[in-house]
Every structure is written in C-alpha cells, then in structure tokens.
Amino acid sequence: MLVTLTETAAAKVKELAAEEPAGEAGVLRIAIQGGGCSGFQYELGFDAEARDGDHQIEAHGVTVVVDPFSAPYLAGTEIDFVDALMGAGFAINNPNVEAACGCGSSFQARDDIDAEPVPAPSGGCGSCAAA
C-alpha cells in the first residue's frame, strides 16, 4: 500500500473535512515538497478531487491522493492522529526517512529511492535553525 491511514487519523480527517465548505474537501492530498532543514516537508490538505496522474487510495472511508512526484518518497507511509500531553496532531511514520530535523517538520529521504531529483532546500523549516 502506498499510504495508509489509521482509523483514528481517518476519523480526524472526516471531522476536519466536515468543517470545510461544500465541495472543497473531496479528497485528502498528501504530498512532499522540497524545503526545510532536512530537504523535504510534508504537505497534508484537502482538495476537491483527484488530478490526472494521482495515486488514489481508500482508507476507512477517506479518499487519499498522492501525486506522482511524491509517491516514491511516501511509499509505505502510515499516518496516525495522536492526542498526547504535548499536543494533538498527525504523526507520519515514513520508512523512507533517513534523517529528520530536530522538530520533525522536515526530513531527508534515503538515497536509494527511484524518483526525480530533489530540489535544493531553501532555508529552515521555520521551527528550528537551518543547518
């Protein structure tokens, strides 16, 4: 499976989607983009629908889409929602991560992933100092 959502994460996504204007939260889009201290940052957000070329996954009643560029870097990723003492949020368990910045906002992918070249990082992630 490309990406999986736990039942807890799916329930939170449904709750958040219900707060969006009608028609604007048809799918959960999970992507990566270059930047941050370590090279990549995760991007989770709603989109009206899948786009041409997107990978589409159904997880506990939530439609998840991943663009072709992000797919190799997200293969095997599990997304959970945790409500802990230090705060609540989505936890991303990505087996393709080689290193992450101290705050967890950005990551460096393994070198052996067969994908397009990574854009150079453009400064810090905003949560910790750039290396």
Side-chain angles (χ1 to χ4, degrees):
M1 179 75 57
L2 178 61
V3 174
T4 59
L5 289 181
T6 65
E7 286 186 52
T8 306
K12 187 62 176 181
V13 168
K14 289 177 190 176
E15 178 185 322
L16 293 171
E19 297 173 5
E20 295 293 313
E24 292 187 19
V27 298
L28 174 66
R29 179 169 298 281
I30 302 171
I32 59 148
Q33 66 182 63
C37 305
S38 298
F40 284 123
Q41 292 180 322
Y42 294 108
E43 206 175 86
L44 277 78
F46 293 114
D47 212 341
E49 59 189 21
R51 298 179 193 146
D52 285 343
D54 281 345
H55 299 270
Q56 189 167 318
I57 302 106
E58 295 294 325
H60 305 288
V62 173
T63 302
V64 179
V65 295
V66 178
D67 66 86
F69 173 81
S70 300
Y73 298 100
L74 294 172
T77 296
E78 178 188 72
I79 299 177
D80 193 10
F81 185 81
V82 293
D83 193 358
L85 183 61
M86 297 301 292
F90 289 98
I92 301 172
N93 181 12
N94 184 344
N96 303 302
V97 170
E98 183 172 272
C101 73
C103 65
S105 292
S106 67
F107 69 95
Q108 179 180 355
R110 295 186 341 249
D111 289 336
D112 63 345
I113 295 174
D114 185 24
E116 295 179 31
V118 180
S122 60
C125 62
S127 298
C128 61

